[in-house]
Amino acid sequence: MQFIESIRHLVGTIIEQFPIVFPALNEGFLQTLKLFVITLVGALPLGLIISFGSMAKFKPISLITRVLVWIVRGSPLMLQLMIIYYLPGLVGRNIWGGGEQGRFIAACIAFILNYACYFSEIYRGGIQGVPVGQQEAGQVLGMTKKQVFFKVTLLQMVKRIVPPMSNEIITLVKDTSLARIIALQEVIWAGSAFMKSSHGIQGQIWPLFFTGVYYLAFCGILTLLFGYIERKLSYFE
Amino acid sequence: MSILEVRGLKKSFGKTNVLKGVDFSMEEGEVLSVIGSSGSGKTTMLRCINFLETADSGKIFLDGELLLDAADQKKISAAEMRKKQLNFGLVFQDFNLFPQYSVLENVTLAPRLLAREKPDFKTHRHELYEEIDKNAKAIIDSVGLTDKLNCYPCMLSGGQKQRVSIARALALKPRVLFFDEPTSALDPELTGEILKVIRSLAAEKITMIIVTHEIDFAESVSDKILFMADGVAIEQGTPEEVIRNPKNDRVRAFLQKLQDN
Ligand SMILES: Nc1ncnc2c1ncn2[C@@H]1O[C@H](COP(=O)(O)OP(=O)(O)OP(=O)(O)O)[C@@H](O)[C@H]1O
Ligand SMILES: [Mg+2]
């Protein structure tokens, strides 16, 4: 009986506080979304450039890019965030300032760099996965290099890239919560603020738990979207 | 006059000399089969003549005129090389069809792209494409795949794939059509359909060079046989000469071994 009473009490609290908590979480989630979108916009092209670097015939370039990829993929994103945010201040050049904007830019840089390295490996796999025979067949049919790329290999690369890329992008959604370590006010930060005090509410943990709903909904939408793209590309193998 | 003449074709990969000076020539409408043991350089020779590899030296003549001196290949612009390329067609051992395109699209892709370079493309695009499609459908029909026109390569058997790839090469009307072991990626029961297609092309006087291990087929379809060993064409002549009365001991040994198997 006491259990039912507690549930009733909790539901009552949630209903009462929801109009205050919801906008605050939305604001945090907006920041999460911004970080997500900017990371994609930066890391998708940068990853392609890095993948070209790692495949370069000129050895020093491919070596340097591969070492970079190894460092970035071989260490925790959380650590990279802290290094990028705190290191400039440590050497006497606090380029980020103290505000939310500086933290946001630092987070974007760390995320873009980190994800570009992961993406570069995915691109590399996709590009190298297309058999050379495809390019040779195009060449003996008198196609230009450009035509071979755009008309023959590109779509085959995309097909190979989409599944691992969708995994990585869904991981990114959840990884954005790591930015909290440098106090970026994303959705988990906004949720956990209610544990102390925020918007006149004190000592409530349910808003933090509720942030999970945002991630689930967003990842669900992305899963549907990528599933759709994969289905669109499933007519050939 | 020979339609194709190859003189002193040499190619090495690093320290391995794969082609050590190949010479041969053939007349228009002829079928030349290339035989020889594995690793003798047959594929490499085909790839050099089709510009997929850059030969170290050697000359290729088309209709008696110099088409390419290998020594110049690196200096020639990509556009020039493409023009030269279009004299030849190559059918690969493992088909290399474009998986994202239907049978018809595989055959029309290259001709459509070429049509873009015609001066009247902007004004006559529709007619040009229609002509290309009509031609492609006729070729696809001639290899017996009309009912597969809109199928994708993943829906076809190996033999059907190889027939599409033959149609794809034919659509550009190459002067010489090359085959690199067109049946060796196929199940034995499917080789027949490919050999039948090649035979019908021979009857139409399509000039062909065929690398093959099917000696009986080579003997019956070819005007000339070229035997490769260690990067050299050690014997060439009519099937009668090369297969029935080989002069060279290595040819004899090779044919003997095939018979024993
Ligand atoms: N890209 C390459 N790099 C290095 N060596 C190569 C390369 N291509 C071919 N070779 C070598 O050249 C030699 C001839 O190969 P090639 O494929 O031309 O022989 P082939 O006569 O076609 O043999 P098969 O009957 O087995 O197809 C082989 O020893 C092979 O290892
Ligand atoms: Mg071979």
Side-chain angles (χ1 to χ4, degrees), chain A residues 134 136 142 151-152 236-237, chain B residues 47 82 97-101:
Chain A
Q134 290 291 307
E136 292 184 346
K151 298 285 175 182
V152 177
F236 72 90
E237 49 189 52
Chain B
R47 291 175 58 83
R82 274 180 60 227
L97 291 181
F98 305 133
Q100 72 268 44
Y101 293 122

Side-chain angles (χ1 to χ4, degrees), chain B residues 50-65:
Chain B
N50 282 276
F51 314 131
L52 290 175
E53 305 282 358
T54 309
D56 301 330
S57 63
K59 292 189 170 85
I60 299 170
F61 297 87
L62 193 75
D63 300 320
E65 280 177 34

Side-chain angles (χ1 to χ4, degrees), chain B residues 13-14 16 18-19 36-45 47 53 93 180-181 211 213 228:
Chain B
F13 293 105
T16 17
V18 178
L19 299 179
S37 52
S38 186
S40 56
K42 305 181 296 294
T43 297
T44 306
M45 178 180 83
R47 291 175 58 83
E53 305 282 358
Q93 187 173 343
D180 189 6
E181 303 195 29
V211 173
H213 287 289
M228 294 263 301

Side-chain angles (χ1 to χ4, degrees), chain A residues 131-145 147 150-156 235-237, chain B residues 47 50-52 82 85-86 88 90 92 96-101 109-110 113 116 152 154 168-169 172:
Chain A
V132 270
Q134 290 291 307
Q135 188 228 314
E136 292 184 346
Q139 192 188 325
V140 295
L141 290 166
M143 294 183 204
T144 63
K145 281 223 163 86
Q147 287 171 340
F150 284 107
K151 298 285 175 182
V152 177
T153 42
L154 181 61
L155 193 63
Q156 296 181 49
Y235 72 94
F236 72 90
E237 49 189 52
Chain B
R47 291 175 58 83
N50 282 276
F51 314 131
L52 290 175
R82 274 180 60 227
Q85 180 97 60
L86 284 166
F88 304 133
L90 175 60
F92 295 87
N96 292 335
L97 291 181
F98 305 133
Q100 72 268 44
Y101 293 122
L109 178 66
L113 291 172
R116 292 182 180 187
Y152 289 91
C154 62
R168 184 176 68 173
L172 288 169

